[in-house]
Amino acid sequence: QVQLVESGGGLVQAGGSLRLSCAASGRTFSSYSMGWFRQAPGKEREFVARITWSGSSISYADSVKGRFTISRDNTKNTVYLQMNSLKPEDAAVYYCATARAPRSILTMFPALIDYWGQGTQVTVSA
């Protein structure tokens, strides 16, 4: 059974930084693309960033480009999201997700995601 456990959220002032982590278990982590999504109150869940199984290809939402960095450590079965220069509009629950099939690109569409973590809250004060 696939399990994704996020951590690292919290309260930060605008301009500050946080690093989120997502520990995965239940299958061969190094064979699956991973990604981060977020959902603010009253809004739909949206794509933030994704990274392929080897880390060779990375994509970001335009809203976070240049500020967020996704990375992974296949020896620790963990994917990270380093968030710098945080803005109040970055406040949301952040969710980790994994691709449906091995060696496939993680979709940007939340409705097509099979596995989610429980989420971690990020709050950014102005």
Side-chain angles (χ1 to χ4, degrees):
Q1 182 179 357
V2 177
Q3 285 194 317
L4 304 171
V5 180
E6 301 98 333
S7 61
L11 172 64
V12 64
Q13 288 188 331
S17 298
L18 282 174
R19 188 175 85 151
L20 307 183
S21 300
C22 171
S25 62
R27 55 185 184 179
T28 306
F29 180 78
S30 59
S31 295
Y32 291 85
S33 295
M34 301 291 296
W36 290 93
F37 291 73
R38 67 187 182 186
Q39 187 166 18
K43 295 188 176 181
E44 294 186 351
R45 195 169 298 190
E46 64 177 6
F47 168 78
V48 174
R50 65 184 178 188
I51 184 168
T52 53
W53 54 96
S54 64
S56 61
S57 180
I58 289 173
S59 303
Y60 296 99
D62 287 343
S63 59
V64 307
K65 278 181 183 175
R67 300 187 298 120
F68 290 11
T69 302
I70 189 171
S71 62
R72 65 188 296 157
D73 186 339
N74 286 346
T75 66
K76 296 182 178 178
N77 291 356
T78 301
V79 62
Y80 305 97
L81 185 68
Q82 177 67 43
M83 305 186 296
N84 298 329
S85 302
L86 281 161
K87 305 176 181 179
E89 52 262 43
D90 293 319
V93 177
Y94 282 71
Y95 296 92
C96 176
T98 183
R100 179 174 291 175
R103 292 177 173 76
S104 65
I105 303 297
L106 179 70
T107 179
M108 293 183 180
F109 299 101
L112 300 179
I113 299 289
D114 293 329
Y115 301 108
W116 295 102
Q118 82 287 353
T120 186
Q121 178 72 50
V122 172
T123 304
V124 183
S125 62

